[in-house]
Amino acid sequence: MRIDVLNGVNLNVLDRRDPGTYGGVSLPELETRIYEWGSQLGCSIRCRQTNHEGDFVDWCHDALGRADGVIVNPGAWTHYSWAIRDALELVEAPIVEVHLSNVDDREEWRRHSVLEGLTAARVVGKGPDGYREALAFLVERAGS
Ligand code: DQA
């Protein structure tokens, strides 16, 4: 099973952001864990991160007809990028939205997601483990 994991804007500096909110883990550490969880679940994982919205959109297109599942954490784009919603609308494979922090319990503007109604699942506030939950969800869904 091929799963693309797309992390968006500012996630490359995860370990420099508020540790109380984001846990102090670095992106390479996070990706290492995701690759390990993926291999335990028998998945072929491709993790990517960008600060450029157009690249993120290209990678959504790249998942078309190839990925069996997509995990996205678009960072702040989650709250306003209709371009990313339009790109993900094309993806037939199930999509899981992940946020390290509990976006539902932070500032008002973070409570809105452009991906609402589009994703098969949403995992928030579980830190890096949220990605493991997302992977397990996609694997279970593919098997059922
Ligand atoms: C985030 C939450 C977003 O609101 C924020 O802009 C981020 C990270 C998260 O993983 O908790 O950059 O997506």
Side-chain angles (χ1 to χ4, degrees):
M1 182 172 185
R2 284 159 306 213
I3 299 178
D4 284 2
V5 180
L6 306 181
N7 284 306
V9 63
N10 289 313
L11 289 165
N12 59 313
V13 287
L14 200 51
D15 53 338
R16 286 155 65 189
R17 299 178 75 181
D18 176 19
T21 305
Y22 295 111
V25 69
S26 71
L27 181 68
E29 284 161 2
L30 174 65
E31 290 186 341
T32 299
R33 288 190 214 177
I34 294 170
Y35 283 116
E36 278 169 14
W37 292 325
S39 90
Q40 286 161 14
L41 290 164
C43 300
S44 164
I45 305 286
R46 180 155 76 178
C47 289
R48 300 206 264 190
Q49 185 278 330
T50 183
N51 291 325
H52 304 279
E53 191 179 1
D55 287 341
F56 198 94
V57 165
D58 284 344
W59 295 345
C60 295
H61 297 168
D62 195 35
L64 296 180
R66 188 189 45 77
D68 303 306
V70 182
I71 295 172
V72 292
N73 180 352
W77 290 327
T78 307
H79 313 299
Y80 64 87
S81 175
W82 299 107
I84 288 175
R85 183 190 167 96
D86 281 349
L88 285 170
E89 235 168 35
L90 298 168
V91 176
E92 285 164 3
I95 301 164
V96 182
E97 176 183 352
V98 172
H99 298 287
L100 294 146
S101 66
N102 186 355
V103 283
D104 296 334
D105 199 24
R106 296 180 63 192
E107 301 93 323
E108 223 282 312
W109 61 269
R110 290 187 206 270
R111 293 186 196 150
H112 171 71
S113 169
V114 295
L115 305 182
E116 202 179 322
L118 204 69
T119 53
R122 185 169 182 264
V123 185
V124 304
K126 300 198 170 163
D129 282 349
Y131 290 82
R132 180 170 53 184
E133 196 171 309
L135 286 168
F137 171 86
L138 288 170
V139 169
E140 197 180 316
R141 187 182 158 124
S144 60

